[in-house]
Amino acid sequence: MPVSASKVTFKNLNGQGVMMAAAIHFPTGFDEALKYPAVVVSHPGGGVKEQTAGLYARKLAESGSFITIAYDASYQGESTGLPRQLENPSIRTEDVSAVIDYLTALPYVDAERIGAMGICAGAGYSANAAINDRRVKALGTVSAVNIGQMFRNGWENTIKDADAVGYIDFGSQARTADASKAELATLPLAPMREEDAPNAELREAWEYYHTSRCEHPNAPGFMTARSLTQIITYDAYSKAEAFLTQPLLTIAGSVAGSKWMSDDLLARAASQDKQMYIVEGANHMSLYDVPRYVDEAVSQLVPFFQARL
C-alpha cells in the first residue's frame, strides 16, 4: 500500500548543537489519534536518507504496521553540523538515540514499541545504539558492517588489528594538517572511481554512489580523514555479550564479502531471540536497492518487527 512521508527537522539533544533532518513515513490509513510502533532506519556510511535507508523505511511503512523514520546523520546530508562529512562512530550511534528522543515526544508513537534497523555501517551503529539504549526494543540489520572492524580487518577479514596501526597514523597526521588548513583532508568511504574498486562487489559501491543507479548530491561518498582516529579503535558490538539482549534479526547476502560481520554480531549478542536470514545470490550492495533482494529482506523484517514491537 502507498504511504505518505513528511520531512521534519528537530534538535539533536546530544550536545553538539546539531539539527537533524529526517523523513517520517506514515502507513496508509494513519490516524493521529492512535499510537503506533516505530522503526528508526539508519543509512550506510557515506549515504543519506534518500537512498537505501529511505527505501527500507518506505517499504516497512507499506506493511501498514509501523511509522518509520529515515534520517541524515549529524554533519551529513541535510542535517547540520561542522565539519561536513564527519564520520564519528560514537556520534553516529548517539544519533540513533537522538531520533528516538524525537519519536518519544510524538503523541502517535508508542514509546514502548520502538525498533531500530540499519544498512551497512548504519546497521552497526544501530546495534551499538541497542546496546546503549534500552528504548530500542528490537533490532534488525541488513548487510551489517561494524565500521571499526571493516577498517581494521579489511572487507573480508584478512588483516590483523595490529597491522591497521597505519590508519591511525594517517588519521592523526590528517588532524595535524587540518589544524592549519581551511579545507579538511578527506578519505573515500566507497570507491570514488570505478578503477579504484579492489573487487567486483566494491565496484558496485562505486556504481551505487556515483552513477545514476542511486547517486545523490548530498552523498559525496567520502568522509573526513580525521575520522580514522575514532573509527579504527571503535567496536560497534562492544559489550554485546552482556547488553544486546533485545530480539535480533540479521540479514545478509549469501555471497557478501561482509557477511562475517553479521556472523560476528549474531555470535556475540546476548539475545535469546536471535536469528540470521540469508538472501541467496545477494551480495552486500545488492541488498541496498535490487528490488527482488530488498523485497525478500523486507518480507523478513516486517513480521519480525510486527511480532516484537
Side-chain angles (χ1 to χ4, degrees), residues 58-69:
R58 176 174 60 80
K59 285 186 169 289
L60 286 176
E62 284 174 355
S63 71
S65 301
F66 321 106
I67 290 169
T68 61
I69 183 167

Side-chain angles (χ1 to χ4, degrees), residues 12-85:
N12 185 319
L13 300 179
N14 288 323
Q16 305 298 318
V18 169
M19 291 296 293
M20 304 293 288
I24 302 183
H25 297 259
F26 301 96
T28 299
F30 170 71
D31 183 346
E32 199 167 324
L34 301 178
K35 283 189 176 290
Y36 293 81
V39 179
V40 179
V41 185
S42 298
H43 63 72
V48 288
K49 64 184 179 301
E50 289 82 5
Q51 296 172 321
T52 182
L55 176 62
Y56 274 89
R58 176 174 60 80
K59 285 186 169 289
L60 286 176
E62 284 174 355
S63 71
S65 301
F66 321 106
I67 290 169
T68 61
I69 183 167
Y71 66 97
D72 287 330
S74 296
Y75 309 99
Q76 300 174 29
E78 293 182 311
S79 293
T80 67
L82 295 172
R84 301 307 296 167
Q85 301 311 124

Side-chain angles (χ1 to χ4, degrees), residues 236-251:
Y237 309 156
S238 177
K239 299 301 179 182
E241 299 86 350
F243 303 124
L244 185 47
T245 58
Q246 300 97 318
L248 167 65
L249 171 63
T250 64
I251 297 175

Side-chain angles (χ1 to χ4, degrees), residues 165-190:
V165 68
Y167 282 110
I168 303 180
D169 288 336
F170 185 86
S172 302
Q173 292 161 11
R175 293 181 70 121
T176 297
D178 288 349
S180 59
K181 295 180 180 178
E183 188 170 332
L184 304 188
T186 62
L187 191 70
L189 272 163

